[in-house]
Amino acid sequence: MTSTQGSHASVKADAPVDAFSHRLATVADAVEAWLADRLTPETQAGEITRPVRLMEAMRHAVLGGGKRLRPFLAVETARMLGADTAGALAAGSAIELVHCYSLVHDDMPAMDDDDLRRGKPTVHKAYDEATAILVGDALQTLAFEVLADATWQPDPAIRADLVLGLAKASGLGGMVGGQLLDLGAEGRFGPVSLTVDDTLQLQAMKTGAILAFSVEAGAIVGGATPDERRALLRYGHALGQAFQIADDILDREASAEAMGKATGKDKDAGKATLVDRLGLDGARAECDRLVGVCEDAVSAWGDRAQILREAARFTVARKV
C-alpha cells in the first residue's frame, strides 16, 4: 500500500481569494488520493487476498466524484481547533467510505432503484447486484478498520470515541434506521401519514446523523472541550437538516444532467420531504434559518470559523 503520510498526510490551510472553494477542492483532492491509496489490489497484513472484481467495484463506487463534504467538515473542524489535519483526514475518509457504501446500497432495485450516480452507472448496473451488496459490506468494514488503526490516531481513547460515534451515526438509530423509516414513508409497509416532526426525525437519522458526526469527528480529533463539542454538534445537526432540505429542493428543480442522477423520483415515490410539508418558499426560508443556527453555533471561534460558516451557506446554495 502506498503511504499517504507524506504529501497527503495533512491538508495545508492556504488562503487564496476564494478561500472556501479552494479549501473544498484541496480537501477533496486529498481525500481522493487517500482513498485511492487504501483501495489497491495489494494484500495487506492480516488479509488472505483481495478479489480483483470486488476491488474494481469498490473503486468504481468511491473514486472519481463527489464533493467530499463529510471529510471536509471533519478536516475543517479539526483545523479550526488548531489540530494537525492528518488524523482528521483519515477519520473523514472513513466517514466517506460509509457514505459511499450507503449510496451503493441505496441505489439498488430493492431501495431507490437508480441507474446513475455521479454521472456514471451505479455499481449494480456496472457489475451486478450481488457484487454491489458485497461492495457496500466491504466499504463499511474498511471504514471501521481505518478508524481502529493506530497509524492514523495513536490515542486509543480517541480511536474508541471515533468508532463508537460512527457506529451510532450510521447504524440502527442513525442512517440505517432512517433509511428504513424513509422506505416506510413511501407506504411500503402500509398506509402512513407523516407530520413535519416525523419528517424531521427521519431526515435527522438518514442524512443528518452522518453529517453531524463528520463535524463531531473533527471535534474529537481536535481535542474540543465538552462545551465546544456541544456547540459543534449544534452546528452539525443544523447543517445536516439544511443539507437534506436543500437536496429535496434540488430533486424538484435541478436537471438529471446537472445532478448526475435521476431527479423527481422522491415526489413520484411519495417520499417524505419538507418541501411537501412547507412548500418551496417555506423550505428555502427554513434553510436560511438553519444557516443562521449554524453561524450562531460557531460564533465563539470568530474568524477561525469562517470556513465552517461558508460551508453552511454552500450547503443551501449548491446547485448539484
Side-chain angles (χ1 to χ4, degrees):
M1 181 180 292
T2 304
S3 173
T4 58
Q5 290 182 292
S7 61
H8 297 299
S10 62
V11 183
K12 295 181 180 179
D14 299 331
V17 175
D18 186 357
F20 178 78
S21 295
H22 175 82
R23 294 290 301 150
L24 186 62
T26 298
V27 173
D29 288 346
V31 171
E32 182 81 6
W34 202 98
L35 291 171
D37 281 352
R38 309 279 80 70
L39 298 172
T40 61
E42 291 81 17
T43 302
Q44 303 303 301
E47 297 177 347
I48 297 173
T49 190
R50 290 186 164 193
V52 173
R53 181 179 179 83
L54 182 59
M55 182 52 60
E56 289 177 349
M58 290 169 71
R59 290 177 67 88
H60 179 90
V62 172
L63 302 179
K67 296 174 287 295
R68 311 300 190 191
L69 179 61
R70 291 152 189 83
F72 176 79
L73 291 169
V75 167
E76 289 302 326
T77 300
R79 183 193 61 80
M80 183 187 74
L81 293 170
D84 180 81
T85 56
L89 179 61
S93 296
I95 296 168
E96 187 71 3
L97 288 170
V98 168
H99 173 59
C100 291
Y101 124 67
S102 75
L103 299 181
V104 172
H105 282 188
D106 196 46
D107 288 336
M108 294 184 67
M111 304 281 271
D112 276 359
D113 194 14
D114 279 309
D115 294 345
L116 288 177
R117 171 69 64 180
R118 296 169 180 166
K120 62 184 182 181
T122 49
V123 176
H124 72 277
K125 283 294 183 181
Y127 294 87
D128 60 84
E129 291 183 29
T131 300
I133 292 170
L134 294 174
V135 164
D137 294 345
L139 292 175
Q140 181 188 45
T141 52
L142 180 59
F144 287 98
E145 180 183 329
V146 168
L147 290 185
D149 190 341
T151 301
W152 314 113
Q153 180 50 251
D155 187 330
I158 291 179
R159 294 201 304 274
D161 210 359
L162 290 169
V163 167
L164 180 61
L166 184 56
K168 287 185 174 181
S170 62
L172 174 65
M175 180 185 73
V176 172
Q179 180 65 61
L180 190 283
L181 293 177
D182 194 42
L183 295 175
E186 297 176 10
R188 290 200 188 191
F189 315 125
V192 64
S193 178
L194 269 64
T195 66
V196 170
D197 286 344
D198 292 334
T199 303
L200 288 172
Q201 181 185 70
L202 181 164
Q203 294 182 342
M205 293 169 67
K206 182 185 176 185
T207 304
I210 290 289
L211 275 164
F213 179 69
S214 301
V215 177
E216 188 176 15
I220 293 168
V221 172
T225 67
D227 284 345
E228 289 174 335
R229 195 159 159 179
R230 279 189 289 272
L232 288 165
L233 263 177
R234 182 169 168 248
Y235 169 94
H237 287 306
L239 184 75
Q241 189 178 337
F243 181 95
Q244 184 59 60
I245 298 171
D247 221 39
D248 293 337
I249 293 171
L250 284 171
D251 186 67
R252 296 294 177 85
E253 296 189 329
S255 67
E257 291 74 21
M259 294 291 286
K261 61 180 182 178
T263 56
K265 293 185 67 177
D266 289 352
K267 188 174 188 297
D268 294 341
K271 284 186 178 291
T273 74
L274 284 189
V275 174
D276 294 320
R277 305 316 189 252
L278 304 177
L280 281 168
D281 288 343
R284 291 191 185 96
E286 181 63 7
C287 280
D288 291 340
R289 185 190 72 80
L290 289 165
V291 168
V293 173
C294 289
E295 292 178 337
D296 180 69
V298 296
S299 60
W301 284 277
D303 289 345
R304 285 188 293 157
Q306 183 60 26
I307 293 294
L308 290 185
R309 282 192 287 271
E310 292 191 32
R313 297 172 197 143
F314 165 80
T315 293
V316 302
R318 62 198 168 91
K319 301 302 181 186
V320 294

